[in-house]
Amino acid sequence: MAGNKPQLTKDQAKAYWRATIRLTITLLVIWFAVSYGAGVLLRDILDKVSIGGAPLGFWFAQQGAIYVFLILIAYYCFAMTRLEKRFGLGE
């Protein structure tokens, strides 16, 4: 229905964007820590453990970071839906 969009007050809009940015930055930090930290920076330490015969640092660089990325995308969708409902922006 065009024209029936809920209107947020200026304070509500600021709170919504603050929450959205906080969520996005948090998930990006987790993604960076897992993909770069576990796959590159902590590789030597993690390689002391193996998963299925592959060193853990190698596993994170090749597969683990991708799995975590997919989980973060799913969580982002869940969290944004919850956030939109909280501010009355959901469908």
Side-chain angles (χ1 to χ4, degrees):
M1 291 191 284
N4 286 338
K5 290 184 177 180
Q7 295 293 320
L8 297 178
T9 64
K10 193 171 186 174
D11 289 339
Q12 288 173 324
K14 280 184 179 180
Y16 173 76
W17 281 113
R18 196 175 320 121
T20 301
I21 289 171
R22 182 177 44 233
L23 172 66
T24 303
I25 289 174
T26 301
L27 295 179
L28 285 173
V29 167
I30 292 170
W31 177 53
F32 177 78
V34 170
S35 63
Y36 189 72
V40 177
L41 297 177
L42 300 174
R43 182 175 176 212
D44 292 335
I45 296 170
L46 295 175
D47 279 350
K48 294 175 183 172
V49 178
S50 65
I51 291 180
L56 186 58
F58 175 78
W59 185 84
F60 261 108
Q62 296 300 313
Q63 296 179 1
I66 295 169
Y67 292 146
V68 171
F69 184 66
L70 293 175
I71 291 168
L72 291 177
I73 290 172
Y75 181 76
Y76 179 79
C77 291
F78 169 77
M80 283 304 297
T81 300
R82 188 177 58 191
L83 188 65
E84 289 173 354
K85 285 181 182 175
R86 191 172 93 198
F87 283 92
L89 299 173
E91 293 181 40

